[in-house]
Amino acid sequence: MFKDGGFVEEAALSSGLAVVHEAIPPESASEALLTHYDIRGDLKRIPTEKDDTFHLTTVGGEYLVKISAPGEDAGVVNLQSSAMTFAAERAPGLPVQTLIRNRFGKLETRLADPASGTLRILRVMKYMQGDLLKGDDPSSAQLRQVGKTLARLDKALKDFSHDHDDRLLIWDLKHFHRLRGLLDLLVDPRKLAIAESIFDQFENAVAPLMNSLRSQALHGDFSPFNVVVNANSEDYVVGIIDFGDTVRSPVIFDVSVAMANQLGVDPQEPWRHALDVLAGYRSEYPLEPDEAALLSITAPARLLLRALLAEWRASHSPDSRDYLLSHSAGDWERLYAAMAAPSDLVRSAIHKDTFSPSH
């Protein structure tokens, strides 16, 4: 067991990363949809991290069907549903998924897991047409649209509150400094050196300010897998999906997620894509200078967190170790590129939203 492993295990369990369950059979999902929504159609499973998700095609349209993992707190599921509906009401033009009410007027349907009998929550949403940002090659202007859309979402959620919005979530950078024990998993000296540097910076510059940073409810995972785009649309971003990591935390951590996913995409200009996202965000929802100054630390910290959790999951799933570590290898390479950029230039670039290695 590594240092503070108890907190890591607790946070992982609370976040659904340590939960193993038998996938719900499509026929059970189909039966529930017919019983509670009076809809039927072709169900195709979509691989996800912790819940059961399906693409439902019917005569009348297409839907996304999500069934929470056994044991997931019903209050946390309601937090996600409530955040989605609140954002849609506050910003009607925001491309947030629409939840479909069941035959009894409810947005959530309680089910018993067919294998264990434990509580699960069924939700049905309109399917969002388009492509995932992950599979696209966006221009600078399109990346600014990505940032602008996140800013509009954060603005819409500014006054949102929920009994479960302060839940323990391992992906929440609010707890990053408590995860230093994950470094015990690293055997590669290069990985360890860069990880220790990021933790040192975070602990010295970010952690002491945690209680004073502007906080609110956030999407929590504005990643390329959760942003639906249309390259032919003027707005570019046509869908915001998966509110599974909704949490109350400092605003800059939502920006950090979006930036982290763009760090190192271009090794020659490793911060350029991330700064395009930041520029779009600030054009819609300004950040205080003191907040923005921390992004040179918090964006790499988020990318590091993803790489470290892949190491943690590999240590818990020996059969999947090679697969998990092969997928995280790209994160490490992008992290090396981002952290190789001169720190003074990065801080200056964040202030200006632009970066060029020739400056």
Side-chain angles (χ1 to χ4, degrees):
M1 178 69 73
F2 46 80
K3 294 186 291 291
D4 209 8
F7 176 77
V8 175
E9 297 291 338
E10 178 189 2
L13 182 62
S14 176
S15 306
L17 294 188
V19 176
V20 178
H21 69 273
E22 185 176 340
I24 193 168
E27 53 270 23
S28 296
S30 294
E31 181 181 353
L33 288 167
L34 184 60
T35 300
H36 297 281
Y37 291 85
D38 198 24
I39 54 176
R40 70 176 76 208
D42 180 43
L43 274 180
K44 291 186 178 178
R45 188 180 298 277
I46 299 176
T48 53
E49 189 172 66
K50 58 183 179 181
D51 54 21
D52 284 286
T53 303
F54 301 90
H55 179 193
L56 172 64
T57 304
T58 74
V59 174
E62 296 178 65
Y63 303 91
L64 188 74
V65 177
K66 294 184 77 70
I67 303 175
S68 66
E72 184 172 10
D73 192 326
V76 170
V77 177
N78 185 254
L79 163 65
Q80 302 162 24
S81 302
S82 300
M84 292 168 63
T85 54
F86 187 93
E89 290 170 359
R90 286 298 178 96
L94 202 59
V96 177
Q97 276 187 308
T98 301
L99 283 162
I100 304 301
R101 296 186 182 275
N102 63 23
R103 296 172 58 187
F104 311 101
K106 303 294 185 181
L107 296 176
E108 300 167 355
T109 302
R110 296 187 168 225
L111 304 175
D113 182 78
S116 65
T118 55
L119 173 68
R120 305 190 69 173
I121 308 296
L122 164 66
R123 292 177 296 165
V124 179
M125 311 161 204
K126 288 186 178 179
Y127 189 82
M128 308 207 82
Q129 300 292 341
D131 301 310
L132 290 179
L133 175 59
K134 176 63 178 177
D136 202 26
D137 182 20
S139 66
S140 175
Q142 289 170 332
L143 285 171
R144 287 174 181 246
Q145 286 285 12
V146 171
K148 188 173 183 177
T149 302
L150 174 59
R152 291 172 57 205
L153 176 58
D154 282 348
K155 284 174 66 176
L157 291 173
K158 182 179 179 181
D159 298 322
F160 173 74
S161 64
H162 190 280
D163 289 345
H164 289 75
D165 63 16
D166 198 29
R167 63 182 175 130
L168 176 59
L169 182 70
I170 201 168
W171 295 106
D172 183 3
L173 285 175
K174 183 168 58 186
H175 308 295
F176 179 76
H177 54 295
R178 297 191 63 185
L179 301 174
R180 191 174 189 122
L182 289 171
L183 300 188
D184 290 350
L185 298 171
L186 301 181
V187 295
D188 184 330
R190 189 183 183 199
K191 289 181 179 179
L192 183 59
I194 199 169
E196 286 182 329
S197 173
I198 293 172
F199 269 99
D200 287 345
Q201 293 178 57
F202 194 97
E203 290 173 354
N204 292 331
V206 182
L209 301 177
M210 198 72 70
N211 293 332
S212 62
L213 291 171
R214 180 170 49 125
S215 297
Q216 64 167 72
L218 307 173
H219 179 276
D221 190 18
F222 206 77
S223 78
F225 290 98
N226 294 332
V227 178
V228 182
V229 301
N230 180 346
N232 298 316
S233 170
E234 183 178 346
D235 293 331
Y236 187 57
V237 178
V238 295
I240 304 169
I241 61 177
D242 196 350
F243 280 66
D245 286 345
T246 296
V247 68
R248 179 171 298 277
S249 201
V251 173
I252 58 164
F253 293 161
D254 230 13
V255 189
S256 301
V257 173
M259 292 179 67
N261 283 283
Q262 300 300 330
L263 286 178
V265 171
D266 179 356
Q268 299 304 311
E269 297 183 272
W271 283 83
R272 179 170 59 87
H273 291 75
L275 290 167
D276 284 333
V277 172
L278 175 60
Y281 187 94
R282 290 206 286 203
S283 71
E284 186 75 25
Y285 199 24
L287 295 173
E288 295 295 331
D290 290 348
E291 292 177 306
L294 299 177
L295 291 169
S296 64
I297 302 170
T298 59
R302 172 62 190 223
L303 185 54
L304 173 61
L305 177 59
R306 190 167 69 186
L308 287 175
L309 288 179
E311 301 273 351
W312 179 84
R313 295 177 73 180
S315 72
H316 282 65
S317 305
D319 293 343
S320 304
R321 178 179 176 81
D322 291 343
Y323 171 82
L324 289 165
L325 296 185
S326 66
H327 276 257
S328 69
D331 287 341
W332 286 107
E333 291 303 319
R334 290 167 52 208
L335 200 56
Y336 297 146
M339 296 303 290
S343 57
D344 57 336
L345 289 185
V346 172
R347 288 192 295 268
S348 176
I350 286 175
H351 179 66
K352 301 174 183 177
D353 295 331
T354 59
F355 174 74
S356 172
S358 62
H359 288 177

